[in-house]
Amino acid sequence: MTQTTDKDRVLIFDTTLRDGEQSPGATMTHAEKLEIAGLLDEMGVDIIEAGFPIASEGDFKAVSEIAANSRNSVICGLARANIGDIDRCWEAIRNAAQPRIHTFIGTSPLHRAIPNLTQDEMADRIHETVTHARNLCDNVQWSPMDATRTEWDYLKRVVEIAIKAGASTINIPDTVGYTAPAESADLIKRLIAEVPGADAVIFATHCHNDLGMATANSLAAVAGGARQIECTINGLGERAGNTALEEVVMALKVRHDIMPWHTGIDTSRIMNISRRVATVSGFPVQYNKAIVGKNAFAHESGIHQDGMLKNPENFEIMRPEDVGLTESNLVMGKHSGRAALRDKLEQLGFEIGDNQLKDLFVRFKELADRKKEVFDDDIVALMRAGEDPENDHLQIVSMKVVCGTGGPAEATIEMEIDGKDSTATAHGDGPVDASFKAIRELYPNAAHLQLYQVHAVTAGTDAQATVSVRLEEDGMISTGQSANTDTVVASAKAYVNALNRLITRREKSAPGSDIREISYKDVS
Ligand code: KIV
Ligand code: ZN
């Protein structure tokens, strides 16, 4: 629904699959993108920005397929301010039930300098490209990138040009997360008041979280008159991320008394999609993240627990079930069957195919053999473990690690590398260091370890550890995850998972592959 006469309705524009996926290391597979688009549609997202079709053949195919399978949501593709981008975008989205072209150009002095255009030349370019987009599609969104650092008079001028050329949504991006709430509200308010034709279009807000103000800035923009919020699940996005969908939606719901606007989002689906995006992007949600963090509804201190038992409203401003959070129950043991596992996964909001279930069931049985009690969170961790067999060049066959107080740790690892088995032994400063060294001996690589993180999934000494590993090689970033009751095994597998993803990225960006280097210079 993008046309509404309800002046209090705020449209939710989700860009997890475009701005979110642009986050270094957050690359999703084709199937994962289709799945996430389906979940976004089901939860009531008004507009899904499905990708940047000119960026690669893969992006084009994903956007086309999402468009062809679209149901309720408008499907939007991104295009720079050039005819080639816009034509490619239209080709990808034209089969959507409701297509939208989103075209943009950087309008601040710094961004104008990249293509080296004068203010007048850029104004002409905006007129030409928005007109072209409008001739193809009757739903066109235009964005002046870095709007919040664009001179006021120039911003007004270009917004007016875009409206006259036929844009029906004007998005005002805070590209570098520079604005603050009062300024964000004021900017939208003044644009609506001063730009001729502004009352006939929808103003959108698109905030980045560099100063931790994306949610506040988006809500302030709505107070100023914006009626579309651009956001991502879990706040995924470049640098500090984008506005988190779950935060703005729940803020509008919980504080409707002072923010009298509403969205069409079914909030009970939030937890499920948050988990799926964390899994497929390889970006775990921080424990104390608002709304979807593991601790968001946990009450540890005695005073809080006592207060909660007397009346949950003492310490809770929303109910866990409002965001689709059900209690972590004891689920199954080693005698549970495949049907019970599928049932549990469905309750947790995961829909998986037969092959994935087969693989997960093997890992569930292994876990149930080692761990007496298997909880919901254990199942979620297994799903998140990032095993990606179809793309695996490297696989750990077996490992043995000796460590203790007596000297350096020793790891012996047997790995299958592109179908060939080999074994290496290495010593290191602790069992994880020794294991990573052994893996590097078997698969020499120059990737730098950027992040190594371990979390216990549940309580108890037999708890599974989920490990995240982020690697960087020549500017390419990949994140791997694994879960195991043995922290060292989880660490080694997460490292190998990150290497597998890096190999896939390398293949995709090799000369002759389908990835094109996207530059903001290419506005023409
Ligand atoms: O942050 C930004 O400016 C963007 C634009 C492409 C809308 O993502
Ligand atoms: Zn952005």
Side-chain angles (χ1 to χ4, degrees):
M1 191 197 75
T2 53
Q3 299 306 324
T4 170
T5 49
D6 179 352
K7 64 181 182 22
D8 295 332
R9 172 76 151 84
V10 174
L11 300 170
I12 295 296
F13 175 110
D14 182 277
T15 183
T16 305
L17 296 174
R18 200 278 299 168
D19 223 349
E21 214 241 355
Q22 245 166 260
S23 183
T27 324
M28 300 174 203
T29 66
H30 183 80
E32 288 164 348
K33 288 182 187 175
L34 291 181
E35 184 199 341
I36 298 298
L39 295 175
L40 291 168
D41 184 293
E42 277 167 21
M43 85 186 296
V45 161
D46 298 285
I47 305 111
I48 298 172
E49 188 161 54
F52 196 173
I54 196 83
S56 71
E57 207 41 49
D59 251 48
F60 178 83
K61 280 193 191 133
V63 178
S64 313
E65 210 166 317
I66 289 168
N69 292 316
S70 63
R71 285 166 291 188
N72 305 308
S73 311
V74 170
I75 304 299
C76 176
L78 185 69
R80 291 166 301 179
N82 73 64
I83 303 300
D85 268 41
I86 293 170
D87 287 347
R88 188 78 173 143
C89 176
W90 174 238
E91 224 185 301
I93 58 163
R94 62 185 306 162
N95 290 324
Q98 304 173 77
R100 173 182 292 189
I101 295 174
H102 176 192
T103 179
F104 74 98
I105 193 164
T107 52
S108 65
L110 281 167
H111 283 263
R112 288 200 302 270
I114 300 173
N116 200 17
L117 292 181
T118 64
Q119 287 196 354
D120 288 345
E121 285 165 346
M122 185 166 281
D124 289 346
R125 177 61 51 87
I126 293 163
H127 174 77
E128 181 200 342
T129 50
V130 176
T131 305
H132 182 72
R134 189 64 176 79
N135 285 337
L136 297 172
C137 180
D138 60 12
N139 189 340
V140 173
Q141 169 167 329
W142 180 74
S143 294
M145 187 164 74
D146 207 13
T148 53
R149 294 193 301 168
T150 299
E151 306 92 319
W152 168 245
D153 285 335
Y154 191 57
L155 184 63
K156 264 196 332 184
R157 178 179 167 199
V158 287
V159 167
E160 184 180 348
I161 290 171
I163 294 174
K164 284 207 174 116
S168 46
T169 301
I170 300 292
N171 176 37
I172 302 298
D174 182 28
T175 305
V176 290
Y178 178 69
T179 197
E183 188 181 71
S184 176
D186 194 52
L187 185 58
I188 300 286
K189 204 168 166 180
R190 288 175 68 200
L191 284 169
I192 293 174
E194 295 183 33
V195 174
D199 53 345
V201 301
I202 288 183
F203 276 81
T205 177
H206 175 113
C207 298
H208 282 263
N209 203 29
D210 299 65
L211 292 172
M213 292 193 282
T215 296
N217 290 337
S218 301
L219 294 170
V222 172
R227 287 295 176 270
Q228 177 177 301
I229 297 179
E230 306 209 354
C231 46
T232 59
I233 301 294
N234 299 339
L236 193 68
E238 279 194 274
R239 308 184 310 279
N242 289 58
T243 302
L245 179 147
E246 62 277 7
E247 293 178 13
V248 284
V249 167
M250 288 312 290
L252 289 175
K253 186 169 170 154
V254 173
R255 295 310 311 274
H256 193 68
D257 54 333
I258 55 165
M259 294 186 282
W261 306 287
H262 58 97
T263 71
I265 299 295
D266 173 357
T267 63
S268 71
R269 294 176 182 260
I270 285 177
M271 256 346 271
N272 173 35
I273 192 161
S274 162
R275 285 175 175 147
R276 284 307 288 146
V277 168
T279 305
V280 302
S281 66
F283 274 55
V285 175
Q286 81 191 46
Y287 274 25
N288 59 344
K289 162 87 179 60
I291 318 293
V292 291
K294 193 174 161 57
N295 292 352
F297 292 90
H299 299 272
E300 285 282 344
S301 87
I303 297 176
H304 280 217
Q305 282 179 351
D306 185 48
M308 281 289 295
L309 288 173
K310 289 192 173 110
N311 179 359
E313 282 182 23
N314 283 340
F315 287 101
E316 260 177 16
I317 56 168
M318 52 199 155
R319 293 170 309 160
E321 50 275 29
D322 292 343
V323 297
L325 189 66
T326 47
E327 260 184 36
S328 185
N329 297 318
L330 176 63
V331 275
M332 301 178 286
K334 60 179 173 188
H335 300 299
S336 308
R338 206 176 289 199
L341 179 62
R342 188 192 281 281
D343 234 43
K344 177 47 76 180
L345 286 165
E346 274 168 15
Q347 272 173 39
L348 291 169
F350 294 107
E351 269 174 47
I352 65 170
D354 288 345
N355 281 346
Q356 210 187 346
L357 179 68
K358 214 161 121 191
D359 165 63
L360 192 78
F361 189 64
V362 172
R363 292 192 283 129
F364 163 72
K365 282 286 182 190
E366 281 167 11
L367 178 65
D369 271 342
R370 288 195 307 266
K371 199 171 181 288
K372 271 203 313 277
E373 299 170 322
V374 179
F375 295 88
D376 287 359
D377 284 352
D378 287 314
I379 304 284
V380 172
L382 277 186
M383 280 297 295
R384 278 187 190 159
E387 314 264 326
D388 205 0
E390 86 244 37
N391 295 325
D392 282 359
H393 292 262
L394 319 174
Q395 257 168 3
I396 292 183
V397 178
S398 68
M399 60 186 286
K400 190 155 203 71
V401 181
V402 182
C403 65
T405 53
E410 182 185 284
T412 301
I413 297 191
E414 181 188 353
M415 263 173 58
E416 194 183 298
I417 303 175
D418 287 326
K420 269 179 66 187
D421 249 36
S422 30
T423 303
T425 296
H427 295 92
D429 197 0
V432 174
D433 188 46
S435 306
F436 282 25
K437 279 185 178 146
I439 293 166
R440 266 199 302 275
E441 213 163 286
L442 291 165
Y443 182 74
N445 66 86
H448 298 287
L449 183 67
Q450 277 199 332
L451 172 102
Y452 168 69
Q453 219 169 45
V454 184
H455 289 300
V457 174
T458 55
T461 49
D462 67 346
Q464 282 196 95
T466 53
V467 178
S468 303
V469 167
R470 187 172 303 158
L471 300 175
E472 187 270 337
E473 185 192 76
D474 293 334
M476 261 181 303
I477 293 180
S478 75
T479 310
Q481 288 193 332
S482 190
N484 201 288
T485 48
D486 185 321
T487 309
V488 182
V489 172
S491 302
K493 286 193 168 178
Y495 182 40
V496 167
N497 184 231
L499 284 173
N500 277 320
R501 287 180 171 231
L502 195 63
I503 295 169
T504 310
R505 298 212 75 191
R506 259 191 228 146
E507 287 169 354
K508 280 192 176 170
S509 59
S513 79
D514 71 325
I515 299 273
R516 281 173 229 181
E517 197 54 49
I518 284 295
S519 151
Y520 290 131
K521 258 188 195 159
D522 298 335
V523 292
S524 57

